């Protein structure tokens, strides 16, 4: 069966994509039917160890492409991009990138929480936030409509205006207690429709 909290919903297509131990699945939520199942390993990428996913860094972009981490080795991993229709692998990072256990795909960017690195949907590095954000273990991140980056740590909420040319930026921070009543954010994301920042908290704050 599937894990990773049941999978990721592609709202535009009415499907859910999830992974098991060595398979990837697509489920049609409209007709309530499993429509595709295939091996995680891909014959077009035989030299990479893609027959198992790693951590919880995964998600879907606005075009329906699915992303996940795989091929963990020491402190590195690979990011994998899969086609929305066939779930076949279309791109893999080579060489490996610094590993993160957790991450998210949001606003067509891939956020790797531990390394504080951000990639575009071509799997290219576009922001190294390790120079501006604290090394808060696996603290969730996102960006907003103005191009600023956010990090929600256990004690601080941080916002950075990142300069891609210099790799630096200015950071503003607030105590978590002022935003969440002291609850540690489990996730953070920006909503373009409302223009607000949202947090998901633990069960005690639901």
């Amino acid at each position: 069966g599937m894990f990773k909290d049941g999978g990721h919903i592609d709202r535009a297509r009415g499907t859910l994509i999830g992974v098991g131990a060595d398979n990837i699945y697509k489920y049609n939520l409209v007709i309530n039917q499993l429509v595709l199942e295939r091996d995680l390993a891909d014959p077009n990428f035989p030299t990479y160890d893609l027959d198992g996913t790693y951590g919880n860094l995964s998600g879907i972009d606005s075009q329906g492409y699915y992303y996940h981490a795989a091929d963990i080795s020491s402190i590195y991993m690979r990011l994998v991009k899969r086609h929305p229709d066939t779930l076949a692998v279309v791109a893999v990072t080579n060489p490996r990138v610094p590993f993160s256990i957790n991450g998210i795909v949001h606003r067509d960017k891939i956020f790797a929480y531990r390394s504080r690195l951000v990639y575009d949907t071509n799997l290219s590095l576009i922001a190294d936030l390790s120079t501006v954000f604290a090394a808060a273990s696996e603290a969730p991140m996102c960006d907003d409509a103005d191009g600023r980056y956010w990090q929600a740590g256990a004690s601080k909420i941080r916002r950075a205006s990142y300069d891609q040319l210099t790799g630096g930026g200015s950071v503003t921070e607030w105590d978590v207690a002022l935003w969440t009543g002291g609850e540690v954010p489990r996730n953070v994301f920006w909503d373009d429709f409302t223009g607000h920042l949202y947090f998901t908290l633990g069960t005690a704050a639901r």
Side-chain angles (χ1 to χ4, degrees):
M2 291 184 294
F3 52 98
K4 306 296 184 197
D5 295 326
H8 294 275
I9 294 175
D10 184 350
R11 293 175 177 83
R13 295 161 185 80
T15 57
L16 178 146
I17 298 175
V19 296
D22 52 14
N23 291 66
I24 184 166
Y25 307 81
K26 180 162 62 174
Y27 194 88
N28 189 307
L29 299 172
V30 178
I31 62 175
N32 196 29
Q33 182 177 331
L34 181 67
V35 293
L36 179 63
E37 177 182 353
R38 65 178 296 155
D39 292 340
L40 283 167
D42 194 299
N44 293 318
F45 294 84
T47 60
Y48 302 140
D49 182 14
L50 306 181
D51 60 351
T53 59
Y54 171 72
N56 292 308
L57 198 168
S58 57
I60 299 174
D61 70 13
S62 63
Q63 301 301 311
Y65 286 89
Y66 180 77
Y67 304 81
H68 66 87
D71 199 6
I72 178 68
S73 176
S74 183
I75 57 173
Y76 297 99
M77 66 182 186
R78 298 190 195 277
L79 294 174
V80 182
K81 179 178 182 178
R82 293 181 179 269
H83 194 276
D85 296 326
T86 65
L87 298 181
V89 176
V90 297
V92 180
T93 51
N94 186 32
R96 292 181 175 93
V97 299
F99 87 104
S100 285
I101 298 173
N102 297 310
I104 194 172
V105 180
H106 185 58
R107 291 173 47 80
D108 282 352
K109 296 182 180 69
I110 305 164
F111 295 85
Y113 293 163
R114 179 182 292 268
S115 60
R116 289 154 290 153
L117 301 178
V118 185
Y119 304 86
D120 63 18
T121 54
N122 293 318
L123 306 184
S124 299
L125 181 67
I126 56 174
D128 181 355
L129 300 175
S130 64
T131 60
V132 294
F133 280 154
S137 179
E138 303 291 344
M141 301 188 305
C142 73
D143 69 336
D144 62 26
D146 295 318
R148 299 171 300 187
Y149 291 96
W150 295 78
Q151 182 193 51
S155 59
K156 298 289 185 181
I157 305 294
R158 298 179 178 90
R159 184 187 68 199
S161 297
Y162 179 75
D163 188 328
Q164 194 167 2
L165 295 177
T166 66
S170 59
V171 179
T172 305
E173 63 179 36
W174 302 264
D175 288 337
V176 163
L178 298 176
W179 293 62
T180 69
E183 289 286 333
V184 177
R186 298 175 60 188
N187 209 344
V188 57
F189 63 94
W190 179 267
D191 179 64
D192 284 329
F193 182 74
T194 61
H196 285 81
L197 189 72
Y198 290 86
F199 303 97
T200 57
L201 307 177
T203 55
R206 287 181 181 172

